[in-house]
Amino acid sequence: MAKEIKQIGAKSSKKDDKKQIISSDLRKAYEISLAKFSQHSVDKIVQMIIHCDNEVLDNAVVMDFLQKDDMCHIPDNTAKQMAPYSRDLTGPNADQQARELDPSELTREDQIYLYTAFELHHYWKSRMRALALTRSFEAEYDELSEKMRQVVAVSESLRDSVSLMNVLGLILDIGNYMNDANKQARGFKLSSLARLGMVKDDKNESTLADLVERIVRIQYPEWEDFGGDIAGVMTAQKINIEQLHSDAKKYVDNIRNVQMSLDSGNLSDPKKFHGQDRVGVVVQRCMKDARRKSEQMELYLDEMMRTYHDIMIFYGEDARDEKARREFFAKLASFLTEWKKSREKNIQLEETRRRNEASMRRKHAQPKAMTLADGSAAPAVNTGAMDSLLEKLRAAAPQVRDQRDRRRRARLKDRHQVRVASGQNLPDLAAGESSSAADETATTTMTMAADDEGSGSSPALTSPRDGEGDVADRAAALLQGMRGGGDEADEASAEKRESMRAARRQTADEERRLRRRRRERASVAAGAEDEVQSPAATDRTPLEEKSESEE
């Protein structure tokens, strides 16, 4: 037992005797990144890295670790401590050079670092960049070209969509209708589309966006397909045009730099490579396709930026503004999203309104059906009887007024005069009318009596229907009181009645004077004829003289 404990202690002490030169962080990164190869020896791992095996090249974690700055840039302190354990591969007969110190004294991670990044540091960065390109240039090309294709396709759809132009024109017309005459606009920015949802009606229920959607859906259904025309903006809004442009330029520059390294750079002289390094063969195998894709990427990039700038200018946006370039698709995508929300809201409200109307029709139809089934009318509800009566009286007011006008015209027609009486809506015109009618009746009676004695004929006189007129006037007065009410209304109506009485008295006096003149002319003409026929007929009776003196 004691021997076993001693052996374990000896092993642990032997392990602790290994020298560590690299930093602890780099050592831990080695352990994590190369955990898949933890069962392999140091020589096996170094051989896989130098031979460019697929196990290393296809492992993204290992490739990312080998391209880190800690692997490409060696600190001065580390270089001084590693120098005795290394060989200079740039000099002649590098394979035959002897090492000053045995690398086995170093830890596992330090040995891997020594055989790879340290001894190959003069072309390590270019080497790893070229090897990474062989595995990523096709996938990156497909990803970038797909995004560019989406940008170009969406830009062309925005330019070719006639329905979208009509909808935006309708929004402009509605905005100009709401503006003053001196504030008519010829266009608007796309950022103004976000404000459509902020303009609400007086009930705070519907917005201007809801109104536009309802008008388009009901009156211009052929414009509704603009949502399908520009549906690509929902995906394109997630694409950062600036980042896409930067990634495409980086892709082209990376392939160009690798080609320059192979032509005249760190990878141009295979004599300076490790004797077993196959980087030149692996990279040259893929560079032809990489150069072709780089040229195509440049063409796609130029076309995308040109199309994108043109569509921004077409919609009045500043193509030189970085913020405008970044938010162009997002503005249209937000407008399309709000349009769909307004459509769902309007359809739901219309469906609710239709259900309510159908329910009301069913409720109104049920009492009628019950009445027809029972054969008798349903009992009337007594609630609100006074309100119902008042409403009926108010509704009947114009009919009463029209009936009163017809009666007055009939009375005037009986008197052989057709005129329109003024002050029809005054409640107490009956008194003035009755007094004037009495005066007119007395005058007419006296005139007809005189004419009867003079001419020997006595036409029948029809008396006016004062009872019916009084009833109509009283009904009008009742309605006027129900409508008006209040002291101010009474004072105004009293003044108006007084002015109307004076006007009617003046009119009656003028009519009496006209009738008197006509009678005098008629009597003079009749007297002249009587004198010609019978001089004795000029004698007047005392009754006639008395009537003329009274007139």
Side-chain angles (χ1 to χ4, degrees):
M1 186 68 179
K3 291 182 179 180
E4 293 178 357
I5 295 174
K6 187 176 181 180
Q7 290 177 357
I8 294 173
K11 290 181 180 179
S12 61
S13 63
K14 184 177 181 181
K15 183 177 181 181
D16 295 335
D17 290 342
K18 295 288 185 177
K19 186 177 181 180
Q20 178 180 345
I21 298 177
I22 61 177
S23 63
S24 299
D25 294 338
L26 184 58
R27 178 174 174 271
K28 292 179 181 179
Y30 261 107
E31 293 177 354
I32 295 172
S33 301
L34 301 179
K36 184 178 180 181
F37 309 128
S38 60
Q39 302 300 325
H40 298 338
S41 63
V42 174
D43 295 337
K44 178 64 175 176
I45 295 175
V46 172
Q47 182 182 2
M48 293 170 60
I49 295 174
I50 293 178
H51 287 182
C52 303
D53 290 349
N54 292 331
E55 293 184 54
V56 176
L57 298 181
D58 295 338
N59 194 322
V61 177
V62 175
M63 292 298 294
D64 291 341
F65 169 71
L66 296 178
Q67 294 180 77
K68 290 180 63 176
D69 291 339
D70 294 338
M71 299 291 291
C72 298
H73 299 88
I74 301 174
D76 295 339
N77 187 27
T78 303
K80 290 179 181 179
Q81 296 182 24
M82 282 285 185
Y85 299 96
S86 65
R87 295 181 304 177
D88 186 9
L89 299 180
T90 60
N93 300 323
D95 296 338
Q96 299 177 1
Q97 291 181 6
R99 303 176 187 273
E100 297 180 6
L101 297 176
D102 186 8
S104 60
E105 298 177 359
L106 302 175
T107 61
R108 174 186 174 89
E109 291 77 14
D110 286 83
Q111 292 181 36
I112 298 174
Y113 181 80
L114 172 66
Y115 294 141
T116 56
F118 186 79
E119 291 185 349
L120 307 180
H121 71 278
H122 57 283
Y123 72 100
W124 179 260
K125 184 176 181 179
S126 300
R127 177 184 185 275
M128 296 310 302
R129 181 179 60 188
L131 291 175
L133 178 64
T134 60
R135 290 297 185 270
S136 63
F137 78 96
E138 291 182 348
E140 289 183 6
Y141 175 81
D142 294 338
E143 180 182 358
L144 294 175
S145 61
E146 177 63 21
K147 291 182 179 180
M148 292 181 181
R149 187 192 63 78
Q150 290 182 5
V151 172
V152 173
V154 172
S155 300
E156 292 178 351
S157 67
L158 292 176
R159 183 186 58 197
D160 299 337
S161 179
V162 179
S163 300
L164 177 61
M165 296 295 104
N166 292 331
V167 172
L168 296 179
L170 176 63
I171 295 174
L172 177 62
D173 293 340
I174 294 176
N176 285 332
Y177 177 78
M178 297 170 63
N179 292 336
D180 296 335
N182 57 349
K183 294 182 179 180
Q184 298 297 302
R186 299 178 59 186
F188 57 88
K189 294 289 185 180
L190 291 180
S191 57
S192 302
L193 295 175
R195 304 177 187 174
L196 296 178
M198 302 178 185
V199 182
K200 298 187 177 181
D201 59 359
D202 54 350
K203 298 180 181 178
N204 200 21
E205 295 178 354
S206 180
T207 63
L208 183 58
D210 300 338
L211 173 63
V212 174
E213 192 280 330
R214 188 162 53 249
I215 292 175
V216 171
R217 181 163 46 84
I218 296 175
Q219 300 183 10
Y220 308 102
E222 65 275 8
W223 296 353
E224 284 191 286
D225 57 350
F226 84 93
D229 295 341
I230 64 171
V233 296
M234 303 302 295
T235 305
Q237 68 169 335
K238 302 177 183 178
I239 300 175
N240 190 335
I241 302 298
E242 298 298 324
Q243 186 65 35
L244 179 59
H245 180 268
S246 176
D247 293 343
K249 292 290 292 181
K250 183 178 179 181
Y251 177 84
V252 174
D253 294 340
N254 188 27
I255 295 177
R256 184 181 293 113
N257 292 335
V258 171
Q259 186 62 44
M260 291 176 62
S261 298
L262 293 173
D263 294 340
S264 60
N266 296 333
L267 302 179
S268 61
D269 189 4
K271 296 179 181 180
K272 296 181 180 181
F273 295 172
H274 190 281
Q276 299 178 0
D277 199 347
R278 301 176 60 245
V279 62
V281 178
V282 174
V283 174
Q284 289 289 358
R285 189 188 305 160
C286 302
M287 285 309 297
K288 183 177 180 180
D289 292 339
R291 288 193 301 269
R292 180 175 57 82
K293 291 184 180 297
S294 175
E295 294 174 357
Q296 293 179 354
M297 182 64 67
E298 286 183 322
L299 296 177
Y300 288 163
L301 181 60
D302 293 340
E303 181 183 1
M304 182 199 72
M305 296 306 297
R306 177 180 55 80
T307 306
Y308 191 67
H309 287 172
D310 291 345
I311 196 63
M312 288 186 66
I313 295 173
F314 180 78
Y315 279 91
E317 299 292 328
D318 187 6
R320 296 170 296 180
D321 187 5
E322 181 180 355
K323 183 179 179 181
R325 290 196 301 268
R326 186 173 60 252
E327 297 179 353
F328 177 70
F329 285 147
K331 294 175 183 177
L332 292 170
S334 176
F335 169 66
L336 187 58
T337 302
E338 293 298 327
W339 183 273
K340 293 179 180 179
K341 291 181 180 179
S342 297
R343 176 182 174 83
E344 294 176 358
K345 177 182 176 182
N346 289 334
I347 292 176
Q348 184 177 2
L349 290 176
E350 292 172 2
E351 184 64 24
T352 303
R353 189 180 299 110
R354 282 195 294 268
R355 287 199 300 267
N356 293 338
E357 291 176 356
S359 177
M360 293 299 295
R361 285 195 296 269
R362 287 195 300 269
K363 289 181 180 179
H364 288 304
Q366 286 178 358
K368 295 181 180 179
M370 293 175 62
T371 302
L372 294 176
D374 297 341
S376 60
V381 181
N382 294 328
T383 58
M386 183 57 67
D387 295 338
S388 177
L389 177 59
L390 292 176
E391 291 295 334
K392 290 180 180 180
L393 288 174
R394 292 191 181 97
Q399 298 178 0
V400 173
R401 188 180 297 113
D402 294 341
Q403 186 176 4
R404 186 184 61 190
D405 293 340
R406 287 195 299 270
R407 290 172 180 172
R408 182 176 289 110
R409 293 192 189 97
R411 291 196 301 271
L412 293 175
K413 187 175 181 181
D414 292 340
R415 300 168 190 164
H416 307 287
Q417 296 180 12
V418 179
R419 65 184 180 86
V420 178
S422 61
Q424 297 178 4
N425 57 346
L426 295 178
D428 57 344
L429 289 180
E433 184 179 354
S434 60
S435 62
S436 61
D439 295 339
E440 292 174 3
T441 304
T443 306
T444 305
T445 304
M446 294 174 65
T447 304
M448 295 305 295
D451 293 341
D452 185 23
E453 292 178 358
S455 61
S457 62
S458 177
L461 296 178
T462 59
S463 63
R465 293 173 291 180
D466 295 333
E468 294 179 359
D470 294 340
V471 173
D473 292 338
R474 284 197 298 273
L478 177 60
L479 289 175
Q480 186 70 21
M482 292 171 61
R483 289 177 178 175
D487 297 335
E488 296 179 359
D490 294 338
E491 293 177 0
S493 60
E495 293 176 358
K496 195 170 184 179
R497 288 195 298 270
E498 187 64 28
S499 62
M500 293 304 298
R501 289 194 192 97
R504 291 183 64 83
R505 284 195 296 270
Q506 183 178 0
T507 303
D509 294 338
E510 291 177 357
E511 290 177 354
R512 283 196 296 272
R513 284 195 296 270
L514 290 174
R515 286 193 295 271
R516 186 183 299 114
R517 293 192 188 98
R518 286 197 297 270
R519 286 196 302 273
E520 289 175 355
R521 287 194 295 269
S523 61
V524 170
E529 291 178 357
D530 292 339
E531 288 176 357
V532 173
Q533 294 177 0
S534 174
T538 57
D539 296 334
R540 299 283 184 93
T541 62
L543 180 60
E544 291 176 349
E545 292 177 357
K546 183 179 180 180
S547 62
E548 289 180 358
S549 63
E550 288 177 356
E551 290 179 357

